[in-house]
Amino acid sequence: MTNRNEIFENALNIFAAYGYDGASVQQICDASGITKPTLYHYFHSKRGLLDQILKETLTPFIYDFQAACVYNHDLPLSLERVMRASFGFAGHNPVFYRLQQTLRSAPPRSEGYASIKPWLETQHRILETLFMAAVEDHGNLRGRSAAYSLSLLGVINAYILTALDEGKIPSDAQLYQARQQFMYGIFS
Amino acid sequence: MTNRNEIFENALNIFAAYGYDGASVQQICDASGITKPTLYHYFHSKRGLLDQILKETLTPFIYDFQAACVYNHDLPLSLERVMRASFGFAGHNPVFYRLQQTLRSAPPRSEGYASIKPWLETQHRILETLFMAAVEDHGNLRGRSAAYSLSLLGVINAYILTALDEGKIPSDAQLYQARQQFMYGIFS
DNA sequence: CACTCACTATACCGATTGGTATACTAACTG
DNA sequence: CAGTTAGTATACCAATCGGTATAGTGAGTG
């Protein structure tokens, strides 16, 4: 493994375990068996290292997520795709998912939150367009797409974290249960 | 306001905004118009300051929460009390609630998480006894009280955070919707 | 008055922080 | 061969970190 990849992987693990503020550059260097100038050769700064981790991992996921969010007059089907994309991503990148989770609920003025904020907004915006498209078949969604977008992301997150705590990926059965529960919340 | 209260309030706000690691003792002192020896006269350490904030704010809440968790053969009623206690607490302590939320999903090896962990466990344990008591009337809860306890706390949290983002306390209507949605998840 | 005691500021501590100036090495390139 | 370039370590930087030793202060108390 190249030094760059070594740094990348160790930084991911250490950020996930100690948090962005709690992790030190020296700690990452020690774990990677290199010294600071090497790290700074590959990454602009500590913040740039985090940004790069988010970028390289989230770019392909957002691509899948967008593909899942197309609407063809079958909202349950779209929701299934969205959940499947999310669950699959979390299952393949459990450590990253934990890091993402800590950043997502980090304090608003922390560097960590600033780093993930644009990604959260992008994901939210994509999901919102799905609900806006579904308005044409489900009138009671009108004007609530932002709220339901946030709510769905919350439900997905809750299921993933519960499953990850047990060391598994959410099963298909859980996927359908989560979808049904969410739909129930919408139409009741 | 006494210096102690001044420090306490400023620390709460700064911890909530910047995170435990991101906040510095000097920053809290500056905001409070005092110097470090004064802070260390009232609190053992930076960690002790956070512990004290959690203790003084969560002790009365846990008391209410426990009272809400008594079971008298009416699970929906108990759940309503639990949600009402949680929503009310969040509404009266919005800044603290945000701090609690960041600590709750902080990385496992961070000091912030270590500080709130016992409180989370206590709350979880109390809620679990409610579900264990309800087994006698709802057999399908058997062996799942831990899972449903976590799930309910997740749902409550999601509703509170959504409401707080809009600057409000969750309404009674949202309370009943959240309860119904959760019950639906149980019995389906 | 003499004494105690809760409280507070000045000035400082060693350790660690994120980051870098300099120099070297090995590999590739004309 | 001469020159460039990517990559790496030693040694260092100023700034900040959490925390404290010391010396007061003023209010209460015998």
Side-chain angles (χ1 to χ4, degrees):
Chain A
M1 182 146 60
T2 70
N3 272 343
R4 200 202 108 106
N5 286 348
E6 192 82 37
I7 295 167
F8 188 98
E9 289 297 324
N10 282 300
L12 171 57
N13 283 310
I14 291 175
F15 282 152
Y18 297 91
Y20 175 77
D21 286 317
S24 81
V25 174
Q26 189 61 56
Q27 193 179 0
I28 295 169
C29 292
D30 291 347
S32 308
I34 52 97
T35 55
K36 284 197 278 185
T38 302
L39 187 149
Y40 282 97
H41 173 74
Y42 291 108
F43 305 96
H44 299 117
S45 60
K46 185 188 182 187
R47 168 69 184 276
L49 174 53
L50 178 62
D51 287 341
Q52 197 62 27
I53 290 175
L54 294 183
K55 183 178 177 182
E56 292 186 23
T57 317
L58 285 175
T59 298
F61 167 66
I62 288 290
Y63 186 82
D64 293 348
F65 192 81
Q66 184 139 34
C69 280
V70 298
Y71 180 68
N72 26 31
H73 301 283
D74 187 345
L75 185 55
L77 178 62
S78 293
L79 292 182
E80 180 182 333
R81 280 198 308 262
V82 166
M83 289 181 165
R84 208 176 286 281
S86 304
F87 288 6
F89 172 72
H92 287 94
N93 309 276
V95 174
F96 177 87
Y97 201 88
R98 284 225 135 80
L99 170 60
Q100 185 199 33
Q101 176 60 18
T102 71
L103 296 175
R104 186 199 190 88
S105 42
R109 313 184 74 139
S110 66
E111 262 200 293
Y113 183 74
S115 187
I116 203 167
K117 190 179 175 186
W119 295 98
L120 294 180
E121 284 168 351
T122 298
Q123 189 186 17
H124 176 59
R125 203 179 325 113
I126 292 172
L127 187 53
E128 210 180 340
T129 63
L130 168 60
F131 286 114
M132 287 174 66
V135 163
E136 112 183 48
D137 297 311
H138 304 82
N140 54 348
L141 289 178
R142 194 179 308 276
R144 300 183 180 173
S145 42
Y148 283 124
S149 170
L150 281 177
S151 171
L152 178 60
L153 292 175
V155 169
I156 289 175
N157 227 44
Y159 271 81
I160 290 178
L161 289 179
T162 306
L164 246 48
D165 274 342
E166 300 165 359
K168 320 180 232 178
I169 313 174
S171 66
D172 268 22
Q174 288 174 304
L175 190 156
Y176 292 120
Q177 187 193 338
R179 182 181 65 172
Q180 190 123 348
Q181 188 168 349
F182 179 74
M183 296 283 296
Y184 177 81
I186 289 185
F187 297 118
S188 66
Chain B
M1 182 144 61
T2 69
N3 272 343
R4 201 203 109 107
N5 285 349
E6 192 82 37
I7 295 167
F8 188 98
E9 289 298 323
N10 283 301
L12 171 57
N13 282 311
I14 291 175
F15 282 152
Y18 297 91
Y20 175 76
D21 286 317
S24 80
V25 173
Q26 190 61 56
Q27 193 179 1
I28 295 169
C29 291
D30 291 347
S32 309
I34 51 98
T35 54
K36 284 197 276 185
T38 302
L39 187 149
Y40 283 97
H41 172 74
Y42 291 108
F43 305 96
H44 299 115
S45 59
K46 186 189 182 187
R47 168 70 185 275
L49 174 53
L50 177 61
D51 287 341
Q52 197 62 26
I53 290 175
L54 294 183
K55 182 177 177 183
E56 291 185 22
T57 317
L58 285 177
T59 297
F61 168 66
I62 288 289
Y63 186 82
D64 292 348
F65 192 81
Q66 184 140 34
C69 280
V70 298
Y71 181 67
N72 26 31
H73 302 283
D74 187 345
L75 185 55
L77 178 62
S78 293
L79 293 182
E80 179 183 331
R81 281 198 308 261
V82 166
M83 290 181 165
R84 206 175 287 280
S86 304
F87 288 6
F89 173 72
H92 286 95
N93 308 276
V95 175
F96 177 87
Y97 202 86
R98 283 226 138 80
L99 170 61
Q100 185 198 31
Q101 176 59 17
T102 71
L103 296 176
R104 185 199 190 90
S105 42
R109 314 183 72 140
S110 66
E111 262 200 293
Y113 183 74
S115 186
I116 204 167
K117 190 177 176 187
W119 295 98
L120 294 180
E121 286 168 349
T122 297
Q123 189 186 18
H124 176 60
R125 203 178 327 114
I126 291 172
L127 188 54
E128 211 180 338
T129 63
L130 168 61
F131 286 114
M132 288 175 66
V135 164
E136 113 181 48
D137 297 313
H138 304 83
N140 55 348
L141 289 178
R142 194 180 308 278
R144 299 183 181 175
S145 42
Y148 283 124
S149 170
L150 281 176
S151 172
L152 178 59
L153 291 176
V155 169
I156 288 175
N157 226 44
Y159 271 81
I160 289 178
L161 289 179
T162 307
L164 245 47
D165 274 341
E166 299 166 0
K168 320 180 231 178
I169 313 175
S171 66
D172 269 21
Q174 288 173 303
L175 190 155
Y176 293 121
Q177 187 192 339
R179 182 181 66 173
Q180 191 125 345
Q181 188 168 348
F182 179 75
M183 298 283 295
Y184 178 81
I186 289 186
F187 298 118
S188 66

